[in-house]
Amino acid sequence: MRDEPDELRERWRERSLAAGWAVPGDWWTPAVESVTAAVCLGKGMAVACVRLGRARGRAGIGLGETLDDLGALFAELHWPDPPLSLVRCAAEGWVDSGLMELAAQTCEDPLTGLTTMPYLRSRLAEVYRAAGALGGAPGTAVGDTHRLVVVDLPAQAEPWRRLARAIVVAHDLRAVFRGGETLTLVGMGRAAALVRSGPDLAAHLDALHRSLERTLGAAPVAVGGRERSYQHERDGFLIWAEELPASLAEAQELLGRMAR
């Protein structure tokens, strides 16, 4: 027996609000009705997800929150793995909404909300300049005060699967590093956070690891040779804290090697 659209809509709304939808009064849109109708009819989900993504984007809702909302629907339908074709449709609709053009005027990647590589390069230059202004050996000072926390995703995954996982990584990075750290999409399979060193860094790495373990789903394996490194046994995701080199030029070369 199929769900009635009204009943499904209310259960979806309640689950989405419980998962953290920011403004309850902004949740409903005619596109929601298109999605629930498509689910109940058993056809038309792809088109409905494009409409939903477009409506969310026009309302100024970020892609991460849009996909979290869609994930609440999938959870309500007891779909264990989000259908990546529908994730793609929602993302394409969001991009079509015009926010891509707005995002191009900022230093943020429009799909993940992370900053772009040129912005990270600029931030690194600022950090090295600030260290130099303090006197002494600036490279050593930066190496003592900052790290690059890197999250690496498997290169062999399908492109849209990697995009979906990159969005998850972006969400988890923002949840763990909430103190103004620079969070950057280095490549579709890699993200980095420019963070301060200190006694809290290990705890933040542990928290990020636990969060990604939950959202990406597999058991970790410790990897030696790097500070607090973790490797995901099934999908191969890796987290580590990279020590910054002595000079800005070397740091920029490091970013170049990271990008792919």
Side-chain angles (χ1 to χ4, degrees):
M1 181 178 178
R2 290 189 185 276
D3 284 310
E4 291 296 325
D6 289 350
E7 296 172 357
L8 177 60
R9 181 188 63 239
E10 289 310 306
R11 296 203 310 273
W12 175 14
R13 180 179 182 276
E14 289 174 5
R15 188 180 285 266
S16 188
L17 296 184
W21 183 267
V23 184
D26 289 347
W27 182 82
W28 186 87
T29 168
V32 166
E33 303 298 334
S34 297
V35 173
T36 54
V39 170
C40 294
L41 290 172
K43 61 181 181 180
M45 272 292 286
V47 172
C49 285
V50 170
R51 289 175 180 166
L52 181 67
R54 189 177 295 132
R56 297 304 193 207
R58 286 174 177 167
I61 294 163
L63 181 60
E65 190 169 9
T66 297
L67 295 184
D68 285 345
D69 176 48
L70 191 60
L73 173 64
F74 296 154
E76 186 60 39
L77 295 172
H78 304 292
W79 293 354
D81 296 312
L84 291 181
S85 61
L86 298 183
V87 172
R88 179 184 64 196
C89 288
E92 288 176 346
W94 186 90
V95 170
D96 288 344
S97 72
L99 281 188
M100 181 72 89
E101 181 178 346
L102 177 62
Q105 301 172 20
T106 73
C107 296
E108 293 184 355
D109 170 71
L111 293 179
T112 63
L114 300 180
T115 62
T116 59
M117 277 286 280
Y119 183 81
L120 177 57
R121 290 183 182 279
S122 296
R123 279 292 297 124
L124 272 177
E126 291 172 347
V127 168
Y128 276 84
R129 266 201 317 274
L134 294 175
T140 302
V142 171
D144 290 342
T145 61
H146 289 78
R147 291 285 190 277
L148 273 178
V149 173
V150 184
V151 180
D152 206 10
L153 295 173
Q156 69 272 18
E158 299 171 6
W160 275 103
R161 186 176 296 275
R162 295 183 78 196
L163 171 59
R165 290 174 179 169
I167 293 168
V168 168
V169 169
H171 178 273
D172 288 351
L173 278 172
R174 285 191 293 269
V176 172
F177 296 108
R178 295 179 289 183
E181 297 87 350
T182 300
L183 311 178
T184 302
L185 186 69
V186 179
M188 191 49 66
R190 183 172 287 169
L194 178 61
V195 306
R196 285 194 171 275
S197 301
D200 294 335
L201 178 57
H204 283 145
L205 285 168
D206 288 340
L208 179 60
H209 160 250
R210 290 194 302 271
S211 183
L212 287 171
E213 184 183 357
R214 285 193 304 270
T215 52
L216 296 178
V221 176
V223 176
R226 282 174 172 151
E227 178 185 353
R228 289 279 179 170
S229 295
Y230 302 98
Q231 187 165 7
H232 200 276
E233 191 171 39
R234 185 182 70 188
D235 292 330
F237 89 75
L238 181 66
I239 305 172
W240 74 89
E242 184 80 36
E243 185 173 349
L244 289 170
S247 70
L248 175 60
E250 291 173 307
Q252 300 289 16
E253 289 178 7
L254 173 65
L255 290 186
R257 293 194 299 272
M258 285 185 176
R260 65 170 191 244

